[in-house]
Structure formats: structure tokens, C-alpha cells
Amino acid sequence: MIDYEILADYGTTDNRLREFFTAVQPTSAQQAKMTPEELRVRERDIKNRARFEKWISGLLQEHIVFSLSNHSKLAAVDMAWDSFPVNNAVVPLMQYAQGRIDMAQVGTWMQDIPNGSAYLRKNDKGEVIGVDMPRFFEVNINLLRSVITRRRAAQMQKYDRMWPYFKYEPRDQTQVGKLRADMVSQRMDIMADQYGYRHFMSQAALHMLLYSKCVAFPRAHWEREVQLERMPGDMPKDENGKLRTRSKVVREGLSWVLPHPSRVFYDNNYPLTSLNDDTGCEYVGFWDVTRWGDIANNGDYFNRKRVSYTSGMVDWFSTYWAYFNQYFTTIIPPSLPQARGDNVNFTNDRKNQVGLFTGQMEQVSTIFTHLWIKVRPQNWGWGRYPHPIWVHLKVAGDATVVYAKIVPSCPAATFSYNENDARLFNISMAHELMPFQDQLTNLFSQLLETIKQDLFSVAVLNTDVFPDDANGRKALAEFEALMQNKATYCSMQMLEVSFNKLSQLNIKPQDAFLVVRSTPNTHIDKIFQAISETVKMAERLMVMSTHEQGQAASHEISATESHEISQSTDTVYDFISVGIDEGRAAMKRICFDSLVACGSDDVELTVSSRYPANVVKKAGFSVVQDGMEDVAGYSRVIGDKNNLVHEFIYTSRDGGDRPAGQQAATVLVQMLQAIGSLEKDIQQAVLGAMGKEKVFEILNQIFRCVDAGVDLKLELKPGEDNTLLISQNEQVMEGMQRLAQAVQKDSQDITQIHHAITAIFEIMSKLNPQAAQLVAGAIQQQQQNTTAPDQPQGLQGASAM
């Protein structure tokens, strides 16, 4: 995490980066107005800029060409995922059957389908009058989508139910540390809701399972949305009758983008996962194709009149046309000029230089790259700051930097599944499923061909039995007309003939034609068996089971077998969660660093009354006095964002297996039960050493974790003795045992918990009568607002304390 004010003191600012990347040779008039020191700095910037852009040019060319040359493995996954469940030829026929298009439109549609024109029937004028389609179509069996969706759903139902979405745990366990951690978690949960982190995480999990890895980048270093609101007070309008308003930040934070893995590149001297903890890669980025007009018309960009393109970049669009045709709709490469002009002095590779983008080329396509690099500013003359920082560069064309921004921290979060860090490419779960999907498609195609063969029949018309006269030729024409109907095998056909005339012509109907049929195929059962075995093999290799897919087992399953199936499936699910947890941890770090470095100076959040006023004050915050705070509920606090800076644990305590609050409450109650089972002398020694304050803290934590609809804040009065007597200890332990029994029996049984809480309040009334009275009054008010008439009023007796 960086501090922009410290960087400014060392001369490292965004303006300095802009001066560097726009440095050009000054004109004679400009030189006359510049001091010798300014001229020296300008000459140094020009030299360093040329060296820097040459490095960028080589880096981008290497990685972009590598991406375009090796995209086929990822493209195969995309095509397998997007396979159509319905044959394209069926669509126009369904539209025609529903009366939405006419036959002419059917003909136009069918001509766009491969070999579709072969099924069109046309008249002498070339007009389409019918379609003769086969009765069976090839189908695609999308096993990949089915399994990936199941595994993705299992992960997302685990993470989507988390609240807060990002939980920050303090390294220390003081009340101040817990307060700061709760406030940071609350602030990040607000950001997660405002910027759709749950949906984004679902997309990240999908990419991880499809491509084995994906990299998430912040869309900007920080985003802020401001609106106007009414000024509070009794005077809504000023003396001129206008509403009194003020600016208010309604949303600020980070929004994330997930580029296609084929366009992501990184410093492959290190594993890609080193980006999650910023311990390796010194650059990372992704490239895209955009219209030149989007760059030329953006006022935030500089060097817009100096963006160059080379023949190498132009050749990419034609050499790797297969990639651009699959992932982009329209590509318009810039044309190659006949001659070079003198206006190309700002590029580095002059031998490969073609020209500059101009205002008349707004619809032309260009390569646009987002590049994050880790550099020491003093090495490039970007100020005197000696330590490495991350800088976001936007590069148009081959190597022209049009935007530069210092970012708060390492800007990438990596999600990976079963990756080998020593390899540039690893197969994904989707790659493992593709052979089985292809085999299933082949088996179903074979099944359709077999069924077609079983339906094969030929009607042989014996023309020799028909006399060569008018009546005989007429009878022959009637038989030919019927047998030439291509739909005869799927519908009943009727031919009206006179058997008397046939007898007069010496024609027997059974001698007129002969039907030849194929022998029924006995291999259909074997094909179905092969399909079933293929699916079973895929399930076994992917560690799946029929239970996971909601299907009944083929045999009776024992308890041991069911346990083993559940355990192996859960193991795979937990292993998949590891890659998601690592990416989430990186996102948490980036969000926290960006909030502290770029967020608004003051943060306004809510804290529950479980934290005493002195803890809130010690954490650097103060309660907002607006008459809305509730002594027994929640209060709004405000303070400097720097008071949230703290050391946090990011991964081990906030993974997919984050413990639930009920579990933590059960552990604490069991701990108190264990103390209660000790000898009385030992109990007195233990509780005497703990004191009232520590016991109160444990009770407060139990109420917080149980989440029973009430909150508890027990604290010592000023000057009160912290000693806990043995007689009080016996009463406390009795109440704790009752609470433990209620929690262990059913964590949702609020009525029993209320009875146990009543016993505890009786002890509280002796230890701290004022606190007990405040809490009892708050609980009674809570019951009046939330309890139904037929629900037990278990805590109303507490108000009498």
C-alpha cells in the first residue's frame, strides 16, 4: 500500500508521469524560454522515454503474438461450452410452422446453413415452394456445461451466503482490533453490494473451471459517484427560494473486469499466482481491440495525435484471422500508406514504421493494451522515490502510452484450479471433460445412423405387369405417383384403384411391387450400454457420483459407501475452493489498500452497542449525534479512514469454510461448562483470575455469535471492583449451563435461550444493576416490536430486575 502524499513529497506524481510520456524535442522558441536545468531534464526524459517505449514495444509484440499463436486450446473450450443443443436447420422450420415467416424467408434462412440449400424444393421460376428435411438431426451432448455448472453452483452457494462478504480478522484480539476489523468488513460489504462482487465471483469461478486460471483487474484505480442531497435542518430553501443542497458520495470503491485468458499476459519469470501476494511478477496486463475513435475522443488521454501503428500490427489482423473472427464481430485494420512521411519521429522502430492514426480513421481497429508495471520511480526520473510502486499504463497501437496512473497496490487477483506453476499452460476441468463429450456425441451419432438404417425400406415397382396401353399406363402412373412421395414411410397413404379393372388387365396387386426392408439392428442396446459406461467413466475420473447429480443409485448403498462418496466429493469441492479463496484474499488486499489510499478521508459506518464508548474513542471514531442512535441497538460513527489501517489475516480465517457464529457460540459455552465442572476451589481460582471484565467479554461474544435478535453489552462501571466472588460464580455457572443446554439442543430454539438469558440477567442485576436494567429494557422493547401474539414472552420477566 502506498501513500500519495509521501510520493508527492518525493516528486512522484501522475503529472510527472504525463510529463515523461509526452516529452518531445522542444522547438527553438520553447528552448529560448527554458532554463538550462529544464533543458537537461527534457533531454533526459526524451532519452528515457525512447528506451522505455522500446521495451514496451518488444514486450507487447512478444506476448500478443504468443496469445494469438496459442489460443486454440482455449478456443476449443469456448466452442465446447457454446455447442448448440438444437440443430440450426430446425429453427427456420419451427418459425415457419408457427406462422412467423413465409416460405421465401425459410429459403433465405436455409441457404445460410451449411448444405441447407440441398433440402429446398423450387419451381420453374426458382421460387422456394417446400423443404424436404431429414427426419433425424445430429445432436450435441454438452457434458462439459452440465458438470461445470454443477461444480460452479456448489461453490457459489457457499460464498453467496457469506455475510459480510469479505470478513477481516484482526491479528490481535483486543476490543479495538475487533472494532476496526468489524468496521472494515462492513465497509467492504457495502462495496461488494454496490459493485456486484457476488455476480463477479460467479464469473471468476466459471472462468477458473473452463480455462484453469483467470486474472481479475480493477476497472479503475478508484471509482466515486457523487449526487446532490438536501441540506439537513429546518430551512430547506435559501433566501432566493432555491433548495439548499450539498454533494454526497453515494458510491465509491472498485469495480472488476475479467478479460478473456487468451488476452492476458504476465511476467513469466514468476508463477502467475505470485500476483496474489505481490512476491514475483513485475508486470501484468491484457490487450484488446477497440476503435481508434474511442481513443481519439477521450479527453483523459494524451499523445492522441502521436499514436503510431506498424506493418507488424496490421499483419496480425490477417495472419491470425481465425482468432479475431471467433472473438470479435467487426475488424477494420488500418490501411498501409504508400509512402512514409516525416511525421513519424516519435516512434522507436523506424524500420517497421508505417504511419500515425488520424481523425479520419475513427472506425479503424487498433490494439489497446492495459499494462501494469512495478518500477522504482527514481530509476526512470519519475521523482526521487526509491522504492518500487505499481503504475497503470494504457498503450495504444504498438507502444504509445496515452494514460499513466500510480495505483495503490498490485492490481491483479488470480484464480486458478489445479495449476502447475512451472507450466505456462495447464489443462482445466473443461479440458478433462472434452474427450468424454466428444465420445458421447459420436455414440449418439452412431445411434442415429443405426436407427436410420433400421428404417430403410425400398418399394420395387414391377412395370412388366402393366399392359402397354392407355389403361395400363394410367394404372402405372398412379402407382408411381404414390411411391414417389418422400413421406410415405411416416404416414398412411391411400391409392384408389378398381380391382375389376386390374383383373381385366390381368394385374395382381401383390405382383405389382415388392417392399424390401432392412433387418432390425441388434447393436442399439450395445450403443446405449457404451453411452452409460462413458458417463460412468467420466464420473469416476472427475470424482462425481450419481447422488451429486440428483440421480438414484443402481444398487442399495451402505452407510459406509455413502460416507465415502460424500467425503470424496466434499474433498474435491474444498480443493476447488482453494483457488477461489486465494483470489478472494488478493481482492480483499487490493480493496483495503485502495480504500485507504484513494477513499474519502472520512468514513461513516454503524457499530453495534457491544463496543463500549471508550473502545470506539480509542479506535479513533466518534458517535454521530443526530438523535437517531439507540443505546441498546446501533449507532453511527464517523472518523478518519486512516484509523482503519491495521494488520489483518486475509486467508486462513476467511475461506470457503468460514466458521459460523453458532459454532463459535457453542465452543465458548462448552468452555464455560468445562470451567463449571472443576472443583469449587479451582473454579474460584480460575474465575478470580479472569475477573468480571473477562467474563462479561465472553458473555457478550456468545450473544453476538448466537444471533438471537438481541445484543448484549456488559461492562464494568467506573471504579467498580473486577473481582468475581465464588457465590456469584456458582450462579453464573448455573445460568451458563442452562444456556449451554439450549444451544446444544437446538441453536434455533430462541425460547429456551431466552429462559437461559433471564437467569444470566439475574446475576447481572447483582453485579451491575444499571447495565442490567438498560439491557432488560431494550430486550422488552425488542419483543414488543418483533414478537407475535401467540409467541412465548420468555424475557418479559427480565424487565422487573
Side-chain angles (χ1 to χ4, degrees):
M1 180 173 58
I2 64 171
D3 190 316
Y4 284 104
E5 293 183 0
I6 296 177
L7 291 178
D9 289 342
Y10 282 82
T12 303
T13 62
D14 296 334
N15 289 333
R16 177 66 189 116
L17 294 179
R18 179 163 185 160
E19 291 176 0
F20 176 85
F21 287 108
T22 57
V24 295
Q25 192 67 36
T27 62
S28 300
Q30 292 174 339
Q31 291 181 7
K33 298 179 181 180
M34 298 173 67
T35 64
E37 178 62 21
E38 291 175 341
L39 289 173
R40 186 187 67 81
V41 173
R42 178 68 63 87
E43 290 295 334
R44 184 192 63 185
D45 287 348
I46 294 174
K47 181 180 179 180
N48 287 339
R49 178 193 171 189
R51 184 162 58 94
F52 191 88
E53 289 185 344
K54 185 176 182 180
W55 173 75
I56 291 179
S57 178
L59 182 146
L60 296 184
Q61 182 174 3
E62 173 190 355
H63 286 290
I64 293 176
V65 171
F66 180 84
S67 299
L68 295 173
S69 303
N70 298 275
H71 79 281
S72 57
K73 301 178 182 63
L74 301 178
V77 171
D78 291 330
M79 288 186 287
W81 173 267
D82 294 330
S83 61
F84 295 100
V86 179
N87 194 293
N88 291 341
V90 178
V91 180
L93 299 182
M94 292 295 297
Q95 295 281 334
Y96 177 74
Q98 295 172 0
R100 299 184 179 183
I101 59 176
D102 55 19
M103 186 55 65
Q105 292 173 313
V106 172
T108 303
W109 201 329
M110 290 296 296
Q111 290 177 356
D112 296 333
I113 299 174
N115 202 32
S117 58
Y119 302 105
L120 298 178
R121 256 197 343 263
K122 300 181 180 180
N123 57 17
D124 297 339
K125 300 179 180 180
E127 299 173 345
V128 178
I129 58 175
V131 181
D132 297 327
M133 294 298 295
R135 292 297 182 264
F136 295 95
F137 298 95
E138 292 187 0
V139 295
N140 294 316
I141 307 302
N142 203 329
L143 178 67
L144 184 150
R145 179 185 286 268
S146 175
V147 175
I148 293 294
T149 301
R150 178 66 186 89
R151 293 294 171 90
R152 176 189 178 192
Q155 297 298 322
M156 289 304 101
Q157 66 88 23
K158 179 193 304 183
Y159 290 98
D160 285 349
R161 293 184 301 176
M162 286 184 172
W163 191 95
Y165 195 63
F166 289 150
K167 185 174 177 60
Y168 291 77
E169 291 284 353
R171 292 187 183 275
D172 62 17
Q173 293 300 310
T174 63
Q175 289 290 87
V176 173
K178 292 179 180 179
L179 171 61
R180 287 173 172 170
D182 283 351
M183 295 183 69
V184 173
S185 300
Q186 181 186 152
R187 178 63 185 87
M188 296 308 171
D189 195 63
I190 294 173
M191 189 187 303
D193 291 340
Q194 290 178 338
Y195 290 94
Y197 283 9
R198 285 174 171 81
H199 174 75
F200 174 82
M201 198 63 63
S202 176
Q203 293 297 307
L206 174 61
H207 279 219
M208 184 187 74
L209 297 175
L210 283 178
Y211 311 115
S212 80
K213 61 185 176 185
C214 63
V215 185
F217 299 92
R219 185 171 61 183
H221 74 286
W222 191 253
E223 299 182 23
R224 181 180 290 110
E225 183 177 335
V226 179
Q227 295 289 345
L228 294 178
E229 68 172 3
R230 296 172 181 263
M231 290 286 291
D234 299 331
M235 298 180 61
K237 297 184 179 181
D238 58 15
E239 59 276 6
N240 297 323
K242 295 183 179 180
L243 285 175
R244 300 171 64 242
T245 60
R246 64 180 180 181
S247 298
K248 180 182 179 181
V249 177
V250 295
R251 181 172 66 173
E252 63 175 337
L254 292 180
S255 180
W256 296 82
V257 295
L258 201 66
H260 194 274
S262 65
R263 295 192 288 276
V264 175
F265 59 89
Y266 64 97
D267 183 3
N268 50 30
N269 288 326
Y270 305 92
L272 179 61
T273 52
S274 66
L275 289 168
N276 285 339
D277 45 30
D278 195 10
T279 57
C281 293
E282 296 186 353
Y283 65 84
V284 65
F286 66 95
W287 61 272
D288 208 338
V289 177
T290 186
R291 294 181 303 174
W292 164 246
D294 296 337
I295 302 174
N297 298 325
N298 193 328
D300 294 332
Y301 295 161
F302 47 81
N303 286 334
R304 287 176 291 171
K305 295 183 179 180
R306 301 190 181 101
V307 177
S308 63
Y309 62 94
T310 63
S311 59
M313 190 195 77
V314 176
D315 292 340
W316 291 343
F317 295 113
S318 57
T319 305
Y320 303 102
W321 59 270
Y323 178 87
F324 294 104
N325 284 350
Q326 179 172 353
Y327 292 107
F328 297 95
T329 54
T330 303
I331 296 294
I332 306 176
S335 58
L336 301 177
Q338 298 295 327
R340 302 172 182 171
D342 296 333
N343 59 343
V344 295
N345 297 326
F346 303 106
T347 59
N348 300 305
D349 193 358
R350 294 179 182 272
K351 295 181 179 180
N352 199 30
Q353 178 59 37
V354 173
L356 300 177
F357 285 97
T358 63
Q360 291 76 28
M361 304 168 65
E362 289 194 359
Q363 300 302 319
V364 168
S365 303
T366 184
I367 301 294
F368 193 71
T369 306
H370 293 260
L371 173 65
W372 287 265
I373 58 172
K374 189 176 184 179
V375 296
R376 296 180 184 270
Q378 67 177 8
N379 294 346
W380 292 96
W382 300 347
R384 306 181 311 278
Y385 194 74
H387 304 293
I389 62 173
W390 282 91
V391 177
H392 179 199
L393 304 177
K394 296 182 182 180
V395 184
D398 293 274
T400 306
V401 177
V402 298
Y403 178 88
K405 177 68 180 178
I406 301 172
V407 295
S409 62
C410 180
T414 302
F415 301 81
S416 59
Y417 166 76
N418 200 19
E419 281 271 304
N420 182 354
D421 288 343
R423 298 288 182 267
L424 287 177
F425 180 80
N426 292 270
I427 64 171
S428 64
M429 182 180 293
H431 287 102
E432 296 181 56
L433 289 168
M434 286 175 62
F436 299 101
Q437 178 168 312
D438 294 339
Q439 183 63 20
L440 287 175
T441 300
N442 293 336
L443 288 172
F444 272 90
S445 299
Q446 182 181 0
L447 178 64
L448 292 178
E449 291 297 330
T450 303
I451 296 175
K452 289 180 181 179
Q453 292 177 7
D454 287 351
L455 294 176
F456 174 79
S457 64
V458 176
V460 181
L461 182 63
N462 185 7
T463 59
D464 295 337
V465 301
F466 296 94
D468 189 13
D469 55 20
N471 293 329
R473 287 191 293 271
K474 181 179 179 181
L476 177 61
E478 291 175 349
F479 275 90
E480 288 178 344
L482 174 66
M483 298 176 65
Q484 288 178 358
N485 186 356
K486 296 183 179 180
T488 53
Y489 70 93
C490 64
S491 61
M492 178 67 69
Q493 302 294 319
M494 182 179 67
L495 174 65
E496 294 183 359
V497 294
S498 174
F499 280 83
N500 291 331
K501 291 184 177 180
L502 292 179
S503 299
Q504 295 173 4
L505 296 173
N506 294 323
I507 299 176
K508 296 180 179 181
Q510 61 270 23
D511 297 334
F513 62 91
L514 176 67
V515 178
V516 180
R517 298 183 180 275
S518 61
T519 304
N521 200 314
T522 60
H523 296 290
I524 293 180
D525 292 338
K526 294 182 179 180
I527 296 175
F528 276 112
Q529 183 179 359
I531 292 173
S532 178
E533 292 298 325
T534 302
V535 174
K536 290 180 181 179
M537 185 177 297
E539 293 175 354
R540 185 172 304 173
L541 294 179
M542 301 301 296
V543 196
M544 294 189 301
S545 67
T546 53
H547 301 309
E548 179 185 351
Q549 301 175 3
Q551 300 176 6
S554 58
H555 62 282
E556 184 177 355
I557 297 178
S558 64
T560 302
E561 184 179 0
S562 176
H563 174 73
E564 293 295 335
I565 292 173
S566 176
Q567 187 174 19
S568 61
T569 303
D570 290 342
T571 300
V572 174
Y573 283 160
D574 292 340
F575 179 68
I576 296 174
S577 299
V578 171
I580 300 178
D581 289 341
E582 292 176 354
R584 279 170 48 89
M587 290 180 63
K588 286 176 59 178
R589 173 182 51 79
I590 295 171
C591 288
F592 177 75
D593 293 347
S594 299
L595 171 66
V596 176
C598 307
S600 299
D601 292 336
D602 293 331
V603 291
E604 186 174 337
L605 301 168
T606 62
V607 295
S608 63
S609 59
R610 68 175 67 105
Y611 295 106
N614 63 327
V615 173
V616 176
K617 183 177 180 181
K618 189 181 297 184
F621 293 87
S622 58
V623 178
V624 178
Q625 301 295 336
D626 56 1
M628 298 178 62
E629 61 272 7
D630 187 353
V631 176
Y634 290 82
S635 300
R636 291 192 300 126
V637 298
I638 190 170
D640 194 304
K641 65 180 179 182
N642 292 319
N643 293 321
L644 298 178
V645 177
H646 201 59
E647 289 295 326
F648 297 99
I649 295 176
Y650 288 113
T651 54
S652 60
R653 300 178 66 179
D654 187 31
D657 55 350
R658 180 196 299 176
Q662 300 286 352
Q663 299 174 357
T666 302
V667 172
L668 290 175
V669 171
Q670 290 174 351
M671 180 190 69
L672 293 178
Q673 279 183 313
I675 296 175
S677 63
L678 299 174
E679 296 291 339
K680 290 188 176 181
D681 294 339
I682 301 178
Q683 291 180 19
Q684 183 177 8
V686 172
L687 292 177
M690 291 174 60
K692 295 180 184 178
E693 186 174 3
K694 181 56 66 175
V695 173
F696 288 169
E697 183 180 347
I698 294 175
L699 295 177
N700 293 340
Q701 185 67 22
I702 292 175
F703 273 72
R704 182 191 310 178
C705 295
V706 169
D707 193 18
V710 295
D711 210 348
L712 181 66
K713 184 180 70 174
L714 298 178
E715 58 182 336
L716 294 177
K717 295 188 298 183
E720 183 179 353
D721 186 10
N722 191 33
T723 304
L724 186 62
L725 300 179
I726 184 63
S727 60
Q728 297 172 344
N729 170 45
E730 292 176 354
Q731 295 174 337
V732 169
M733 293 312 303
E734 181 182 356
M736 287 297 97
Q737 290 175 358
R738 295 176 62 183
L739 177 60
Q741 293 173 359
V743 172
Q744 290 179 341
K745 180 181 179 181
D746 188 357
S747 61
Q748 302 298 326
D749 193 349
I750 304 301
T751 303
Q752 295 186 21
I753 294 178
H754 284 178
H755 288 302
I757 293 173
T758 304
I760 296 175
F761 281 145
E762 293 176 357
I763 310 303
M764 288 170 49
S765 63
K766 299 178 181 180
L767 299 177
N768 193 337
Q770 183 178 4
Q773 185 176 3
L774 290 175
V775 175
I779 294 177
Q780 186 178 9
Q781 182 66 31
Q782 178 78 9
Q783 284 187 328
Q784 292 176 356
N785 296 334
T786 61
T787 306
D790 57 346
Q791 205 169 6
Q793 306 291 325
L795 285 178
Q796 288 187 355
S799 62
M801 293 186 295

